Amino acid sequence: MAVLVVEHVPGEGPYAIGPALDAAGLRTRLCRVWAGDALPESLVGIEALVVMGGPMAAHSDDGFPTRGAELALLRTALAADVPVLGVCLGAQLLAVAAGGSAVEGSGLQVGWGDVRTGPPAATDPLLAGAPERLGVLHWHGDTM
């Protein structure tokens, strides 16, 4: 079993998420769609899914050949109660897969903001050691 990490572009890897997965005793399997890696068609052997960021738009197939397959994989994960973490573009794709929407924003938004964990984070294998409040850089043009 492994945590599947989907990378859309070089330089948008799991960064701090990778060592956190390792520290939690979870094996990581990278799927670099930017390098031609094929997305799995099922969740066999996958215990969690992490979908990273990229410059594509979650609301359009233009320049994003794996969008449909990623949405299908996310929907399968949600239906099977497989844990999913979406980062940036991955969060937008997760919103779409869960029945929400991703749309063009009113312009580029860049800045620092707080992300807060909720009570379930205390017992989550990945988030258990994270602080309750994290200052993170937001950089996006689309919203959900």
Side-chain angles (χ1 to χ4, degrees):
M1 296 293 280
V3 177
L4 180 67
V5 178
V6 179
E7 294 181 10
H8 296 102
V9 292
E12 291 282 345
Y15 297 105
I17 296 169
L21 292 170
D22 291 342
L26 301 168
R27 190 171 65 86
T28 303
R29 178 177 146 205
L30 297 178
C31 178
R32 295 178 171 121
V33 295
W34 58 267
D37 293 352
L39 284 165
E41 294 182 15
S42 77
L43 295 172
V44 172
I46 297 171
E47 60 188 317
L49 179 60
V50 177
V51 182
M52 298 305 299
M56 306 79 162
H59 54 81
S60 173
D61 289 336
D62 291 341
F64 194 175
T66 60
R67 179 180 172 269
E70 289 185 43
L71 288 172
L73 191 63
L74 283 163
R75 288 182 184 115
T76 300
L78 291 171
D81 289 328
V82 170
V84 177
L85 175 62
V87 178
C88 192
L89 172 64
Q92 294 173 20
L93 290 167
L94 180 56
V96 172
S101 61
V103 296
E104 277 189 55
S106 58
L108 187 62
Q109 297 177 347
V110 180
W112 291 93
D114 286 339
V115 173
R116 295 182 179 176
T117 58
T123 57
D124 183 270
L126 177 59
L127 299 173
E132 185 177 315
R133 178 182 279 180
L134 302 167
V136 298
L137 175 65
H138 298 265
W139 184 322
H140 55 91
D142 293 340
T143 190
M144 56 193 146

